[in-house]
Amino acid sequence: MNLLKILIVTLIAFGSLFGTSYARDQIKIVGSSTVYPYATIVAERFGKSGFKTPVIESTGTGGGMKLFCAGVGVNHPDITNASRVIKEGEIELCKKNGVAEIIEIVIGNDGLTLAHSLEASNADFNQEQLYLALADEVPVNGQFVKNPFQKWSEIDPNLPDHKIEVLVAPPTSGTRDAWDSLIMVKGCKAAGAYDMWSELGEKAKKKCRISREDGRVIEAGENDALIVQKLTEDPERFGYFGYSYLLVNEDKIKPTSIAGIEPTLEGIQDYSYPIARPLQFYVKKAHIGSIPGIEEFLQEFTSSRAMGEDGYLTDIGLVALSDDDADEIRERVSNLSTLSTE
Amino acid sequence: MNSNSLKISNENLKRRLNAERRFKFYGVIAISLALIFVLILFTNIISKGYSAFYRTLIEIKIEFNDKVQPEMFKQMSDTEINKLDLYSFSKKNIYSNFPDIEKKSDKKKIIKLFSIEFEEEIKTYINKNKNNLGNKINLYISASDDIDQIHKGNYSRDIPEERRRVSNFQLSIYDELVGQNKVKFEFNLPFFSRGDSREAELAGLGGSLIGSFFTMIIVLLLSFPFGLFGAIYLEEFSKRNRFTDFIEININNLAAVPSIVFGLLGLGILLNTFELPRSTALVGGITLSLMTLPTIIIATRASLRSVPPSIREGALAVGASKVQTVMHHVVPLALPGSITGTIIGIARALGETAPLLLIGMVAFIVDVPSSPLDPSTSLPVQAYLWNDSAERAYEEKTSAAIIILLSFLILFNLIAVFIRRKFETKW
């Protein structure tokens, strides 16, 4: 049968593809969805300089770390983006799988922005109020109770008189980690809940991070555009994301101020805005040299035309490092100095 | 006839007819609801997406000078021209189209009206016309995504300036250009040839179209032969016993397994055990063919079963062997049904994103893939990625990607219907 012969021949030809050994000449990047917009822009420019354009997956900081630390070799990513610093446990995991030398590159700062629809009236929260609104258990008269607050005004009469509804990032995202440590833990301390749990030691912080599960706090996934859309649908909703999302959507949403301070470039750079955080990525030193272009990619990313004061990354919302910090990072790139792990 | 019983039967008839009418009415409601939803979906997507199929161009005037003479291009090859550094030449020429503007910050804003690749576009024009360039030329270059959105009316001009991505100054320049008839629309051909990009005016579907094509080819090559011959064996050759019953149940179960499970399988076996390259159409194709295989087997078995036994008996009666009977007589009659099933299965695989997420095909990939071993995305993945992008211009691109995806699905289904109509044998 003719058809049968053709099929068999194509299958054999196809099977021979498996036999060919596979060498990668393209940088692979995974990690944070907050760093993704910056990394993609750098990657695209880098791709025009003669190297292949790096492939970037947005997996969230936690997911990225898992892939990054899985091992050394062409099947593992070279770089992972992170919107928080690498955790002890992740360094351990990396070491266990042979990823001993990691280079940490801080690319700039970002301010978490709690935003809502343009139609809503301006709002201002401090960390304690946000903690009381979002936590699972809150202290009332010295006793822990399941969060009783349904309206913001029940927490403080100055706050808006409507339902509490906040869209939050999923637990694997670095944005959520940053939010939990900069808002929830600090608010927890301010509300006195942390002290009441103090006998738990380190676990007290974990307790502070637990969000309520009665529908007031809604997990929105890694899709920041979806959050923006949901905020415009209902002016009583709040949601948070990186500063760059605010900048391109200012015709739809506006930021709330945190403890009286609105997010601004200056405030995020000098950390006077209370919920600013550094953005970074991590590089496998073992891959430098075997995958072409990693060093050049690092140089492009840390160049002043990218992450500098007037760079193309700052155009889309990255808040530049101070000059001293930027110089230190550039030196790190030229020496390829790794994270000290004792 | 008893008048009483006639009365009863009349009432009975009325009741039964009413029941029938009600049932028809519910049916009509159900169908119209479904149609309304389809209509809403289509109008929503098409009204949002059609504008991505054309793009805004702005006419500018270029004057050559002593350093950059039109004659010098004549001896140059295309690649040589592409390597030239005409950046500041292009920039200065764009400025000179607006002689009244002198402030440096305003000049920066002028440049932002144009696509970030203005230099490349000017080079492309020079390449095309290198043998008949005058000292002054007029050409159209792409507008930036923001101006493009304004010109299409997708981006409101009424919001206060500090919230707008385009400043009042830029708007006034744009209005001036419109007044001079220097802004025009053109069919957006690059949208179909370019890969993804972070500059919205440059981003195209090309990479994901090719990625989807490679993936579907692999799905076809793997799942059709395996599915066809698997079904033939199970239906015509295997003995009925507990083991084949077990296989049959499992194939039916496999057809109903959520697609993300196949993604996990691809991740665990293809990527981790066999160490095939991540993010490639090869891995995507193998994963999706696992998903398509049961659909094809079930469709093929059904169409094999519908071939009447008289065909088999006739062939056997004139002395054909079992294999000859099946290959020469039964399979050709069952093939249209099998192909229909394959096309439907492939259409389903084309629209799949969840398994691709796990094997790394949901990624930012600029280079258009040239083989199934290059990293690539697929059509629905591209729609998903654009939907997540912050810039406004991606909104129409998302819908445009969905329009293309839907038209492929409709096309596939039409082909399936056509094949069924054309080759179906009625017994």
Side-chain angles (χ1 to χ4, degrees):
Chain A
M1 251 198 102
N2 238 345
L3 179 73
L4 192 65
K5 276 179 198 155
I6 293 170
L7 280 175
I8 289 169
V9 168
T10 39
L11 270 182
I12 290 170
F14 186 72
S16 62
L17 273 181
F18 288 83
T20 55
S21 70
Y22 167 69
R24 178 152 63 82
D25 56 354
Q26 195 167 27
I27 302 174
K28 290 226 171 172
I29 304 174
V30 292
S32 163
S33 60
T34 313
V35 184
Y36 177 83
Y38 307 120
T40 45
I41 282 213
V42 178
E44 196 174 342
R45 299 212 172 210
F46 176 71
K48 286 182 186 150
S49 70
F51 289 99
K52 276 196 170 180
T53 314
V55 170
I56 306 177
E57 278 180 67
S58 157
T59 59
T61 305
M65 288 292 179
K66 239 174 107 183
L67 288 166
F68 180 78
C69 289
V72 178
V74 284
N75 275 307
H76 302 288
D78 313 308
I79 293 175
T80 183
N81 298 322
S83 53
R84 58 163 167 77
V85 280
I86 189 167
K87 289 177 182 168
E88 285 292 321
E90 288 160 348
I91 295 179
E92 291 288 304
L93 177 71
C94 268
K95 260 190 181 166
K96 212 181 80 194
N97 292 324
V99 188
E101 292 184 301
I102 306 169
I103 308 170
E104 180 186 65
I105 311 281
V106 183
I107 59 163
N109 299 306
D110 176 46
L112 281 176
T113 313
L114 183 67
H116 54 157
S117 163
L118 273 184
E119 287 160 35
S121 44
N122 288 340
D124 171 48
F125 301 101
N126 61 34
Q127 281 119 318
E128 183 184 350
Q129 290 161 344
L130 287 170
Y131 167 75
L132 289 175
L134 302 181
D136 185 41
E137 288 184 329
V138 293
V140 175
N141 303 327
Q143 286 289 319
F144 275 109
V145 291
K146 276 273 172 200
N147 197 329
F149 302 114
Q150 302 299 320
K151 283 179 162 187
W152 292 102
S153 51
E154 290 166 14
I155 298 169
D156 188 315
N158 295 325
L159 294 181
D161 185 27
H162 60 66
K163 65 172 194 277
I164 296 172
E165 193 175 315
V166 182
L167 303 168
V168 302
T172 49
S173 101
T175 304
R176 173 69 173 274
D177 267 335
W179 173 268
D180 283 351
S181 58
L182 293 169
I183 294 279
M184 297 298 277
V185 174
K186 286 203 175 145
C188 184
K189 285 179 178 162
Y194 185 76
D195 291 335
M196 290 163 68
W197 272 318
S198 56
E199 72 268 17
L200 294 172
E202 266 303 297
K203 274 194 187 149
K205 273 191 184 167
K206 259 191 188 156
K207 280 252 182 194
C208 291
R209 289 162 167 257
I210 300 174
S211 300
R212 61 199 294 185
E213 285 172 350
D214 54 356
R216 301 270 150 215
V217 173
I218 303 163
E219 246 175 51
E222 292 277 359
N223 188 333
D224 291 336
L226 188 71
I227 297 184
V228 172
Q229 195 189 332
K230 289 200 163 165
L231 294 183
T232 50
E233 279 165 11
D234 183 352
E236 297 187 354
R237 259 181 214 149
F238 293 92
Y240 60 81
F241 30 71
Y243 186 62
S244 63
Y245 261 82
L246 176 72
L247 279 190
V248 284
N249 286 295
E250 277 189 308
D251 59 322
K252 283 184 173 174
I253 49 169
K254 61 182 176 184
T256 65
S257 44
I258 302 294
I261 304 167
E262 278 212 23
T264 54
L265 285 174
E266 297 75 27
I268 295 168
Q269 190 179 37
D270 63 13
Y271 283 70
S272 62
Y273 179 63
I275 46 178
R277 55 170 173 169
L279 297 179
Q280 55 264 303
F281 62 88
Y282 295 88
V283 189
K284 253 176 230 171
K285 196 173 178 184
H287 283 195
I288 295 177
S290 62
I291 308 284
I294 296 184
E295 244 176 298
E296 289 82 354
F297 180 73
L298 300 188
Q299 278 154 12
E300 173 69 37
F301 215 134
T302 53
S303 67
S304 60
R305 70 168 171 277
M307 67 170 206
E309 205 77 56
D310 295 312
Y312 55 80
L313 293 180
T314 43
D315 281 351
I316 59 161
L318 183 75
V319 181
L321 295 171
S322 69
D323 287 344
D324 290 349
D325 290 347
D327 284 341
E328 199 202 311
I329 293 297
R330 277 175 209 133
E331 207 177 299
R332 206 179 283 175
V333 168
S334 58
N335 298 336
L336 300 176
S337 41
T338 55
L339 213 61
S340 55
T341 51
E342 305 87 46
Chain B
M1 195 179 259
N2 190 325
S3 71
N4 205 20
S5 85
L6 194 68
K7 204 174 152 199
I8 290 171
S9 121
N10 262 344
E11 270 174 11
N12 206 0
L13 183 68
K14 211 172 161 192
R15 217 184 34 157
R16 289 191 303 163
L17 283 177
N18 277 340
E20 194 178 321
R21 232 170 272 134
R22 273 202 305 277
F23 185 76
K24 274 187 188 161
F25 178 65
Y26 296 148
V28 169
I29 286 187
I31 298 284
S32 23
L33 262 182
L35 279 180
I36 286 171
F37 283 129
V38 170
L39 202 69
I40 291 174
L41 176 79
F42 272 72
T43 40
N44 182 21
I45 288 170
I46 292 174
S47 65
K48 267 190 191 163
Y50 75 96
S51 55
F53 294 118
Y54 50 87
R55 61 194 185 123
T56 312
L57 300 175
I58 302 175
E59 187 182 1
I60 57 160
K61 180 176 83 229
I62 298 268
E63 263 178 71
F64 292 104
N65 53 28
D66 295 345
K67 272 189 192 162
V68 186
Q69 292 166 338
E71 285 75 32
M72 67 188 242
F73 298 116
K74 279 185 187 161
Q75 283 94 38
M76 288 176 143
S77 71
D78 287 10
T79 41
E80 275 173 331
I81 293 179
N82 282 336
K83 273 189 189 148
L84 284 179
D85 183 5
L86 294 181
Y87 186 74
S88 59
F89 166 78
S90 308
K91 218 167 172 178
K92 276 184 193 142
N93 263 298
I94 290 180
Y95 292 152
S96 62
N97 280 274
F98 307 92
D100 310 338
I101 286 132
E102 279 162 5
K103 267 204 302 188
K104 211 178 168 199
S105 62
D106 287 347
K107 282 187 172 176
K108 236 182 170 177
K109 284 181 185 162
I110 292 281
I111 280 292
K112 290 216 163 142
L113 298 177
F114 297 94
S115 158
I116 194 159
E117 287 210 327
F118 58 86
E119 186 198 354
E120 283 81 353
E121 292 196 9
I122 291 173
K123 280 184 195 165
T124 317
Y125 182 88
I126 291 175
N127 255 333
K128 248 191 210 160
N129 305 294
K130 58 183 164 194
N131 290 322
N132 45 6
L133 286 175
N135 269 331
K136 282 182 192 171
I137 51 173
N138 282 324
L139 73 152
Y140 282 97
I141 60 178
S142 315
S144 73
D145 55 328
D146 288 328
I147 291 297
D148 184 49
Q149 290 304 301
I150 293 238
H151 198 56
K152 286 170 178 170
N154 292 345
Y155 197 78
S156 165
R157 306 175 50 145
D158 306 332
I159 29 189
E161 186 180 8
E162 66 271 17
R163 297 198 190 287
R164 222 186 302 127
R165 307 238 316 142
V166 181
S167 69
N168 283 344
F169 169 73
Q170 284 171 318
L171 272 184
S172 68
I173 297 284
Y174 159 75
D175 287 337
E176 211 175 285
L177 287 169
V178 173
Q180 293 164 352
N181 240 336
K182 285 187 168 172
V183 186
K184 72 162 186 182
F185 279 135
E186 189 197 72
F187 179 68
N188 197 351
L189 202 61
F191 182 63
F192 295 95
S193 59
R194 299 192 80 124
D196 196 5
S197 169
R198 278 305 314 280
E199 304 296 336
E201 73 270 11
L202 303 180
L205 272 179
S208 55
L209 276 171
I210 304 282
S212 269
F213 174 74
F214 282 140
T215 314
M216 291 309 117
I217 290 289
I218 287 169
V219 171
L220 189 68
L221 284 180
L222 281 180
S223 59
F224 182 64
F226 280 113
L228 183 67
F229 288 108
I232 291 171
Y233 176 75
L234 281 176
E235 196 59 36
E236 302 287 338
F237 292 96
S238 72
K239 289 196 182 75
R240 291 254 163 263
N241 56 27
R242 283 210 176 163
F243 183 63
T244 47
D245 281 349
F246 177 72
I247 288 179
E248 177 159 3
I249 290 170
N250 275 300
I251 288 173
N252 289 336
N253 280 338
L254 216 53
V257 165
S259 56
I260 189 91
V261 177
F262 292 103
L264 284 169
L265 191 78
L267 174 69
I269 294 182
L270 299 175
L271 292 186
N272 292 346
T273 311
F274 288 113
E275 308 213 324
L276 292 175
R278 199 178 157 86
S279 311
T280 53
L282 174 70
V283 177
I286 299 174
T287 308
L288 291 178
S289 53
L290 293 176
M291 199 187 85
T292 325
L293 202 55
T295 319
I296 296 177
I297 294 183
I298 290 169
T300 308
R301 291 189 70 178
S303 58
L304 283 171
R305 220 171 293 148
S306 69
V307 176
S310 56
I311 302 277
R312 294 185 184 83
E313 284 155 10
L316 291 172
V318 295
S321 71
K322 181 88 183 168
V323 174
Q324 283 172 328
T325 310
V326 172
M327 289 302 175
H328 296 176
H329 300 279
V330 182
V331 170
L333 288 169
L335 215 50
S338 174
I339 291 173
T340 311
T342 309
I343 292 172
I344 304 271
I346 285 190
R348 210 186 117 197
L350 180 67
E352 203 55 73
T353 45
L356 302 185
L357 187 70
L358 291 169
I359 53 168
M361 281 181 81
V362 181
F364 175 72
I365 294 162
V366 176
D367 302 337
V368 177
S370 54
S371 86
L373 282 167
D374 286 336
S376 60
T377 55
S378 73
L379 272 175
V381 165
Q382 196 59 68
Y384 169 78
L385 286 172
W386 281 344
N387 178 43
D388 202 13
S389 300
E391 285 83 3
R392 191 57 43 78
Y394 286 108
E395 221 169 75
E396 60 168 25
K397 293 199 184 268
T398 308
S399 297
I402 296 172
I403 293 175
I404 299 290
L405 181 62
L406 282 178
S407 24
F408 272 115
L409 294 183
I410 292 172
L411 182 74
F412 279 16
N413 281 312
L414 282 179
I415 293 174
V417 169
F418 172 77
I419 290 177
R420 203 161 50 214
R421 286 269 165 83
K422 175 107 193 191
F423 299 106
E424 196 179 41
T425 330
K426 287 257 169 21
W427 308 101

